Amino acid sequence: MKLAILVDDPTCYGGIQQFSRDLAGMLEQDGLTVELLAYSGALSGLKPCGARIVRLNEAEKRRGVVRLLRGGAPRYLSCGALRLGALLLDIPQVRRRIREVLPGGDVLLINSFHSAHLFVPREVLRNNRVIFVQHNSPEQLYRWRYDFGGWLWRQKIELFNRYVDALVTLSPWEESGLARYLRLDGKLVRVIRHQTRLPETATLESGDPREVLFLGRLTAQKRVDRILQVAAVAPQFHFHLCGDGPEEGKLKRAAAGLTNVSFHGYVKEPSMWLRRAGIVIFTSDFEGYPIAGIEATAYGKPIVALHTFPAAADLVVDGKNGCLLEDFTPEGFVAALEEVARNYPARCAGALAEREKFSGTAIHDAWRELLRDLTEKEMRRK
């Protein structure tokens, strides 16, 4: 038996890519064959990846319209319409390769249901065991066109209901939201959190509680503008914004005159900032289970976050490792930051107590158990 993980450009930076690489590396320790099925064009090679990558399409070898639409071999074009056009022309090749790679009897892990709907032939879904991993909140999965949203939403939900054998959820708070629009009866449903590499507790530094860190992409979803509103009424805190993205220029203009806000751009290795910071902050409109929040907990840092996604209640135990706010007001966030700063040693201790939820051993055991149960379920069905 092998595990095939369907993922766009598995060597690039991104939460799904990191999850796929980490899972592959973890399960290969058990002697399981794991393949990353890449359905993007030329791989960018930004991240080292020890797992075997199976190229489902090779854009740099294509000619004519596909090459023109891609703007050349090395990368997709940034324009969404042209990228989509090139991808649609790749569908026959991708589907043919998936049939070759997964003739039957193996396990296919799907990170994005839209990609499964486009690329995976029905006989491949029928002849293999299928796992779908949740990477976003239930409401966002239902709306987002890359999962169950868009004008083909009925077909995608029917595909899930008919062919998915197991669902991996992000936290214990997700299942009821997913059950509102997906049929979960008869499926293996497991809570398996994302993992991070836990540093040794002896090497951790407590940080300065007046140094507040945001770590993530500067996109509209992250609502970094809210952090600027907090900074405007909290001169006693300094806010470090680590990341880049389409909102960067607008945010820098909005932050003009705020001496307690620093932009640091994209950081390749966030550990330096996680050691330095005292508090990590989230003000997003929605999330799945933010990797930066797991990393913050791993480094023993308290978190102040908005309760705008179910897993927030799993990430932040209010009053233990930070504060979880139901509504956004700048004054409310300042009060939460002050509460954490006043009780900083206790909140750091609470974060260290929570970090074991993300230990590699616990998560490895959970994936082993899921794959074993999935195999036994298949044997009983036969």
Side-chain angles (χ1 to χ4, degrees):
M1 181 185 78
K2 72 181 175 188
L3 173 67
I5 303 174
L6 189 63
V7 59
D8 178 20
D9 201 348
T11 65
C12 81
Y13 290 96
I16 290 177
Q17 286 80 4
Q18 181 177 330
F19 160 79
S20 301
R21 289 191 298 267
D22 289 347
L23 181 62
M26 182 172 61
L27 294 177
E28 283 175 336
Q29 297 174 23
D30 299 332
L32 182 67
T33 300
V34 183
E35 296 175 343
L36 302 180
L37 308 186
Y39 58 84
S40 64
L43 299 177
S44 50
L46 293 176
K47 261 294 205 185
C49 183
R52 181 180 177 224
I53 296 174
V54 177
R55 302 284 295 278
L56 300 178
N57 57 330
E58 298 183 83
E60 70 279 8
K61 295 182 179 179
R62 304 295 292 275
R63 294 294 182 267
V65 176
V66 171
R67 190 177 181 90
L68 175 66
L69 287 173
R70 288 193 187 282
R75 292 180 180 275
Y76 281 122
L77 290 176
S78 59
C79 175
L82 295 181
R83 176 175 176 171
L84 176 62
L87 197 58
L88 290 174
L89 292 175
D90 277 341
I91 287 176
Q93 180 189 7
V94 172
R95 292 171 69 87
R96 182 171 62 253
R97 287 287 290 129
I98 289 179
R99 286 189 182 96
E100 294 169 359
V101 172
L102 289 168
D106 294 312
V107 179
L108 172 64
L109 187 149
I110 297 168
N111 288 299
S112 159
F113 219 81
H114 185 69
S115 65
H117 185 260
L118 281 179
F119 299 135
V120 184
R122 301 300 184 267
E123 65 269 23
V124 171
L125 295 172
R126 185 169 54 250
N127 295 334
N128 296 275
R129 286 150 283 178
V130 179
I131 302 172
F132 176 62
V133 178
Q134 176 198 359
H135 288 282
N136 219 323
S137 65
E139 291 76 13
Q140 190 62 21
L141 284 178
Y142 187 63
R143 292 194 299 263
W144 203 31
R145 67 182 183 276
Y146 291 112
D147 277 299
F148 297 104
W151 62 282
L152 294 174
W153 65 274
R154 293 182 188 275
Q155 293 93 320
K156 288 187 281 189
I157 289 177
E158 175 58 27
L159 203 68
F160 174 93
N161 292 339
R162 179 173 296 182
Y163 293 111
V164 169
D165 300 288
L167 170 66
V168 174
T169 69
L170 293 166
S171 79
W173 307 93
E174 317 287 336
E175 187 172 344
S176 62
L178 293 168
R180 285 200 294 270
Y181 60 92
L182 298 173
R183 191 167 66 241
L184 304 183
D185 292 345
K187 302 185 189 302
L188 297 175
V189 180
R190 299 293 167 84
V191 175
I192 308 179
R193 299 173 180 89
H194 293 339
Q195 68 166 323
T196 189
R197 294 173 179 83
L198 300 181
E200 295 294 329
T201 54
T203 67
L204 298 184
E205 303 167 16
S206 60
D208 183 344
R210 299 290 168 176
E211 301 285 320
V212 180
L213 175 67
F214 166 82
L215 185 63
R217 288 272 292 159
L218 302 182
T219 62
Q221 166 212 340
K222 300 293 186 180
R223 293 303 304 269
V224 180
D225 61 302
R226 289 172 172 160
I227 299 177
L228 301 184
Q229 294 176 48
V230 176
V233 295
Q236 67 273 36
F237 292 94
H238 195 99
F239 297 82
H240 298 276
L241 309 181
C242 293
D244 59 12
E247 298 280 299
E248 185 172 0
K250 182 171 73 172
L251 291 167
K252 286 182 174 179
R253 291 190 294 272
L258 293 175
T259 58
N260 62 334
V261 174
S262 299
F263 289 84
H264 302 286
Y266 171 74
V267 292
K268 187 174 181 179
E269 296 296 337
S271 58
M272 179 187 74
W273 288 102
L274 288 164
R275 292 181 186 280
R276 172 181 172 177
I279 303 172
V280 174
I281 189 171
F282 290 96
T283 53
S284 307
D285 277 338
F286 60 88
E287 293 277 358
Y289 207 125
I291 297 294
I294 299 174
E295 291 170 336
T297 305
Y299 278 85
K301 304 299 179 176
I303 300 171
V304 176
L306 276 178
H307 195 184
T308 51
F309 53 101
D314 194 59
L315 180 63
V316 184
V317 181
D318 193 45
K320 181 180 181 182
N321 66 323
C323 291
L324 191 61
L325 304 178
E326 296 298 328
D327 301 298
F328 174 78
T329 64
E331 295 75 17
F333 253 81
V334 175
L337 291 171
E338 289 286 7
E339 192 279 334
V340 172
R342 283 194 305 271
N343 301 283
Y344 193 64
R347 298 295 172 264
C348 289
L352 291 175
E354 287 294 299
R355 75 200 293 266
E356 290 310 311
K357 292 193 297 193
F358 310 109
S359 76
T361 300
I363 292 166
H364 195 166
D365 288 344
W367 275 101
R368 281 196 194 106
E369 182 182 359
L370 172 60
L371 292 172
R372 184 186 66 240
D373 291 349
L374 195 57
T375 301
E376 291 177 355
K377 179 182 177 182
E378 178 70 13
M379 294 302 293
R380 287 195 298 270
R381 187 167 65 183
K382 291 180 178 179

